[in-house]
Amino acid sequence: MKKSIALILTCALLLSMAVPAMAASLNPWATMALKDGGETVYIGEENSIFNSGSPMELLEAQAKDLVYADATQLIYTAVDEQNQHEYPAACMLYSLPLNVGEADPIFIDSSVTDSVFIARDSLAYYVPEEDQTTLRGYNPLQGAYSDLIKADGAITALTASIEGVLVSTEAGTKLYVPQVGQLMDAPFDPIGMTTQVYDSFETLLDAQGNLSLRAVGADMQQIDTNVIAAIAQRGMVYYLKHVDSDVLMSYDYSAKSTVTIGSFKSQMLPELAATNDSVFLISADQRIFQMGLDSHSVSQFNRLNEGCSSPVLVGAGDMLLVYDAASTSGALTYFAEYSFAVEAEVQNIEPEEQEPEATPAPTAEPEPTEEPVTILVKGSRGDEVLTLQNLLHKHGYPVGKSDGIYGSGTVNAVKYLQYDMGVKETGTVTIKFLEELQHKGLPTYHQYVQMSKGDKGIRVHVLQQRLHSLGYLTGSVDGDYGSATVAAVKLFEKAMSDKENGVATTKVQEQLFKKNAVKAWDAFSDVEKPAAQKKPTTTEHKKHKQYSEVDEDSLINMVRWMNNHFSGGSYYKKHAIYKLQSRLYELGYLKKSQRTKVYDANTFKAMKGVQMNNDILPHPSGLPDKKTLEWLFG
C-alpha cells in the first residue's frame, strides 16, 4: 500500500556553543496536534511556527516550545531576549489566535522557566522565573492565569500524568490533582524515566530499559525489559527491544498481548515516531524505516544526508520531522532545501544488508585498527549519561536533575569540569574519558574561582555577561579575559570602594552576582543608564510580511512550478522565494541583502523590471507567473 508522506530533514552541522544555558534543546512538545482538523503545528525554520497541513508558516517568532493548540489558538513560549543576562533560561508566554485570519500574538506572561507543558485538563502549567516554588496555570478559554499551589522547594521539573501534574523538587515528587487543587503522594517518581501520556494510559520507560504501562488509578504493569524506545498509537504500544539484535515489538493494551513484528540486522537508534498511519524508526547508519499501522509491515523509507549527527524523529500529523539533537546553534532549525516528498511502498522486509564477499586468505599480518571513539554529546541518552550526571552531581557541579538525558545542564556542567581540569571546553565526553573519571575522581566544584587577564572559558563568559548586564562592560562577551574585562572589573571594584586591580577574586564575584549588586549607572554619573525596555508588543514580536500586490495564489503557483521543474526536493514557500531572489540577485535586479525569503516590495519591483526589460509580458505585473519563471530559470 502506497502512502504519501512529507519528510522534513532538519540536520544542522555542529556549531560552536556560545552560552550553554542559551542553547535550545529539542522539546517533546515541539509539535502539537490541533484538536480539530487532524493537523499539527510545529517549530521549523528559524524558530518559526508552521502548520503541517500546507505546510504554511503561521508565525515568524523566536519560538522555543509549543505549549497548547486547538482550533482557536496556539500557546507557545519565545526566547526572552530582554532578560537573557539575568535569566538565561527564561522565556515569554504567548497566545496566537488561529481562527481570525492574520492575527498578532497576545502576550500572556514573562520570565517563564523551561518547565512548561500542557496537562490533560486543558491548562497550560508552568513555573514563573521570579518564584520557582509556585505552580502557575493558564486557562486558554478564559485567557487568564492563576497561581495554583506552593511547593516545598524550587520546582525542578513538571511531568504530565493521566491523573494530573507530577511536580518535582529536590525533596521529591508530588502529584498535583486539578480536581482537588492539592498536592498528593505521587504514584511514581518520573525522574530518570521517559513518560508518555495517552487517552487511557501512560507508558514509563526507565534508564534500565524497563517498559511499564499504567491506567488511571491502577498500579504500574511491566510490559517488557531491555527496551530502548517506545511510543503508542491507536491504543497500541510499539517499542524497540535489544537482546542479541534490535527487535520491533507491539503491545495491545486491550488484549494485554505482545507480538514480535520483526528483527533488524543493523543497530537501531533509540528513536520512534508515529504519524497518522505509520511508525518510523532509524538505524545507526541513518536509514529511516516505516511500519504501516494497518499492515504492521516494515520497509526502508529513506536515508538521511550526512551532517545529522544525532537525529531525533518527531511525528507531526502526516509528516515526519527529523531534528538534529546535537545542534548547538541555539535554535531548532528546519532546512526547507532538504525537504522532499516520497511515496514509500510498504513491504514486509528487513533492513538491507549486503552478503559479505569471500575474502582471500591474508598474506600478511593485518594492521591493528583503532577502536572508534564513542562520544556523549547533547541529545545522548542512556546509562553512560546517567553515570556522568551522578558523578558531576556528587562533586557539586550544576548538572540539574540526573535523568540520563544529555541536555543543556549537562553540557554546562561538563564545561565547568573541563575548565577546572584545564582542558578544552567542548561540553562533550568520550566513554573512555568517563571511565577514567570514575577511577581518578573529579575536582570539587566551586561556585566562584579567581580569574584574571588571560583566562578563557565558560567562567569568564558568565562573568562578562554579568558585568555587561550591570553596565560595567561595553565590549563583547567572548569568554576571553582581555583588557576590556580587566577595565570592567576595575570599574566594579571602584564602585565597591575596593582596591582596583582588575582581578575577579571570589570576593569580587560574590558581590557582583548578588541580586542587588550596584549598577554602573547608579554608581557613576557619567555612565548612561540604558533606555527602559518595554515588553515587546505583539506588533514588534511578529515581523509582518508585506507581499505588496502579490497574492497567496501566485506564490502557491510559483511553488508548484518549482516543484515540477527542479530536482532535489520539494520547495516550500520561503525556500522558493529565496531561490527566486537569489536568481534576481545573480542577474543584478536585487541586492544581496534583499534576499529576505519574503516576497516584499523589492522583489515585486525586481520581477517587474525583469518583465519590462526583457519583453516577457505585454503588461509587466511583478507576479511570479509561469512565463517569467521559465525565462529566469530556463
Side-chain angles (χ1 to χ4, degrees):
M1 180 176 61
K2 291 188 176 182
K3 299 181 184 297
S4 178
I5 190 164
L7 172 65
I8 296 183
L9 303 179
T10 59
C11 300
L13 294 177
L14 189 64
L15 305 176
S16 59
M17 177 173 286
V19 185
M22 292 293 294
S25 59
L26 183 65
N27 190 290
W29 298 93
T31 63
M32 295 290 293
L34 296 174
K35 296 187 182 305
D36 297 318
E39 296 178 353
T40 305
V41 291
Y42 63 94
I43 296 175
E45 183 180 9
E46 297 175 354
N47 286 66
S48 296
I49 299 172
F50 288 78
N51 183 351
S52 68
S54 302
M56 295 296 292
E57 185 181 51
L58 295 176
L59 181 68
E60 289 185 4
Q62 286 299 307
K64 188 170 183 183
D65 293 325
L66 303 181
V67 182
Y68 172 85
D70 61 24
T72 63
Q73 67 178 310
L74 168 70
I75 298 174
Y76 67 96
T77 61
V79 175
D80 187 355
E81 297 180 353
Q82 296 185 27
N83 292 322
Q84 283 179 353
H85 294 298
E86 189 168 0
Y87 301 124
C91 303
M92 303 181 81
L93 198 63
Y94 287 90
S95 172
L96 176 67
L98 297 177
N99 58 347
V100 291
E102 285 285 328
D104 291 328
I106 301 168
F107 174 78
I108 297 175
D109 206 349
S110 62
S111 296
V112 177
T113 63
D114 281 336
S115 300
V116 182
F117 72 101
I118 190 70
R120 292 174 58 81
D121 55 343
S122 297
L123 283 183
Y125 291 95
Y126 61 95
V127 180
E129 181 69 33
E130 67 271 13
D131 182 7
Q132 296 184 21
T133 64
T134 296
L135 178 63
R136 186 170 287 177
Y138 177 76
N139 189 317
L141 299 178
Q142 298 176 359
Y145 64 78
S146 59
D147 293 342
L148 302 175
I149 51 96
K150 280 271 192 181
D152 292 337
I155 299 173
T156 57
L158 300 176
T159 308
S161 174
I162 51 176
E163 294 171 339
V165 184
L166 293 166
V167 181
S168 298
T169 66
E170 291 184 356
T173 299
K174 293 285 187 179
L175 176 68
Y176 173 73
V177 181
Q179 289 80 1
V180 297
Q182 293 180 359
L183 288 175
M184 305 178 68
D185 290 337
F188 63 92
D189 189 348
I191 303 302
M193 288 188 176
T194 301
T195 64
Q196 298 182 63
V197 180
Y198 304 99
D199 290 337
S200 55
F201 62 87
E202 58 192 350
T203 59
L204 305 96
L205 178 60
D206 65 22
Q208 287 71 44
N210 299 310
L211 177 64
S212 301
L213 179 146
R214 179 175 173 272
V216 177
D219 294 331
M220 284 194 293
Q221 171 190 348
Q222 185 165 302
I223 297 176
D224 212 334
T225 59
N226 300 316
V227 177
I228 61 175
I231 197 164
Q233 188 73 311
R234 299 185 186 175
M236 300 279 287
V237 181
Y238 298 95
Y239 61 95
L240 268 174
K241 177 178 179 177
H242 179 78
V243 188
D244 297 325
S245 62
D246 291 329
V247 183
L248 180 61
M249 311 280 292
S250 69
Y251 175 78
D252 189 328
Y253 171 63
S254 300
K256 304 293 187 293
S257 61
T258 302
V259 175
T260 300
I261 296 174
S263 62
F264 295 86
K265 297 177 181 177
S266 56
Q267 180 185 355
M268 305 301 288
L269 296 181
E271 286 293 323
L272 286 175
T275 60
N276 289 341
D277 55 12
S278 299
V279 169
F280 290 88
L281 315 85
I282 184 167
S283 62
D285 58 0
Q286 300 197 338
R287 285 179 293 162
I288 297 177
F289 295 90
Q290 177 187 20
M291 185 210 73
L293 291 175
D294 295 325
S295 62
H296 277 196
S297 57
V298 180
S299 66
Q300 182 168 322
F301 175 68
N302 221 294
R303 191 168 195 155
L304 298 187
N305 295 329
E306 294 182 1
C308 189
S309 59
S310 298
V312 175
L313 306 182
V314 179
D318 285 329
M319 303 180 71
L320 177 69
L321 308 180
V322 184
Y323 292 96
D324 188 353
S327 173
T328 55
S329 60
L332 295 179
T333 310
Y334 147 89
F335 292 97
E337 56 263 38
Y338 291 114
S339 305
F340 56 91
V342 300
E343 287 188 348
E345 182 72 33
V346 180
Q347 298 172 346
N348 193 17
I349 63 171
E350 288 186 330
E352 298 175 2
E353 185 171 287
Q354 300 293 332
E355 288 295 327
E357 297 181 2
T359 56
T363 56
E365 191 71 26
E367 295 183 3
T369 56
E370 293 185 6
E371 185 179 345
V373 178
T374 305
I375 302 178
L376 298 177
V377 300
K378 188 175 181 183
S380 298
R381 297 172 181 237
D383 291 342
E384 291 89 355
V385 178
L386 190 61
T387 299
L388 173 64
Q389 291 172 329
N390 288 335
L391 202 57
L392 290 166
H393 183 74
K394 179 180 177 182
H395 291 268
Y397 285 87
V399 70
K401 64 181 180 181
S402 296
D403 54 6
I405 303 173
Y406 207 114
S408 298
T410 307
V411 172
N412 192 11
V414 168
K415 286 197 171 187
Y416 275 109
L417 171 64
Q418 291 168 332
Y419 179 96
D420 292 343
M421 297 181 70
V423 298
K424 186 177 180 181
E425 295 175 25
T426 61
T428 63
V429 172
T430 65
I431 300 297
K432 184 178 179 181
F433 183 60
L434 175 58
E435 292 173 353
E436 292 175 358
L437 289 177
Q438 294 178 69
H439 289 95
K440 295 181 180 179
L442 279 64
T444 302
Y445 172 79
H446 297 283
Q447 185 175 3
Y448 302 120
V449 174
Q450 181 168 305
M451 292 175 284
S452 58
K453 188 174 183 179
D455 286 335
K456 296 181 180 181
I458 183 173
R459 288 185 179 274
V460 178
H461 204 294
V462 173
L463 173 74
Q464 290 173 327
Q465 273 193 308
R466 184 60 172 167
L467 289 167
H468 186 276
S469 66
L470 295 177
Y472 294 97
L473 178 65
T474 56
S476 60
V477 177
D478 55 7
D480 190 346
Y481 203 123
S483 299
T485 307
V486 171
V489 172
K490 283 184 176 181
L491 192 61
F492 178 72
E493 289 172 325
K494 184 177 180 181
M496 299 300 297
S497 301
D498 288 341
K499 184 179 179 181
E500 300 170 33
N501 56 22
V503 175
T505 63
T506 56
K507 179 182 176 183
V508 167
Q509 292 179 62
E510 286 171 359
Q511 296 295 323
L512 182 67
F513 284 92
K514 282 185 176 179
K515 191 172 183 180
N516 59 348
V518 62
K519 299 174 176 61
W521 50 86
D522 292 332
F524 306 104
S525 58
D526 57 340
V527 176
E528 185 178 351
K529 182 178 181 180
Q533 291 185 323
K534 61 179 181 179
K535 290 179 180 176
T537 64
T538 54
T539 304
E540 292 170 339
H541 188 72
K542 176 182 178 183
K543 300 175 184 176
H544 288 287
K545 303 172 187 176
Q546 297 182 9
Y547 295 113
S548 188
E549 298 176 29
V550 182
D551 57 29
E552 194 68 25
D553 289 339
S554 297
L555 295 176
I556 292 174
N557 288 333
M558 177 184 70
V559 173
R560 287 174 178 167
W561 187 90
M562 288 188 169
N563 282 333
N564 292 329
H565 290 79
F566 290 110
S567 59
S570 296
Y571 282 81
Y572 295 123
K573 185 173 66 179
K574 288 186 72 173
H575 181 47
I577 295 172
Y578 186 76
K579 181 81 173 179
L580 174 65
Q581 291 171 334
S582 296
R583 182 60 177 152
L584 293 171
Y585 162 67
E586 290 173 3
L587 298 175
Y589 287 90
L590 272 182
K591 297 179 181 178
K592 189 173 183 179
S593 61
Q594 292 174 331
R595 298 181 301 169
T596 60
K597 298 184 182 180
V598 175
Y599 206 111
D600 51 18
N602 291 323
T603 310
F604 175 80
K605 292 176 183 177
M607 285 290 282
K608 203 166 186 178
V610 168
Q611 294 163 342
M612 290 176 62
N613 296 341
N614 300 282
D615 296 323
I616 297 173
L617 298 177
H619 302 289
S621 64
L623 301 178
D625 63 285
K626 178 180 177 182
K627 195 170 183 180
T628 306
L629 292 172
E630 287 176 343
W631 186 92
L632 284 168
F633 295 101

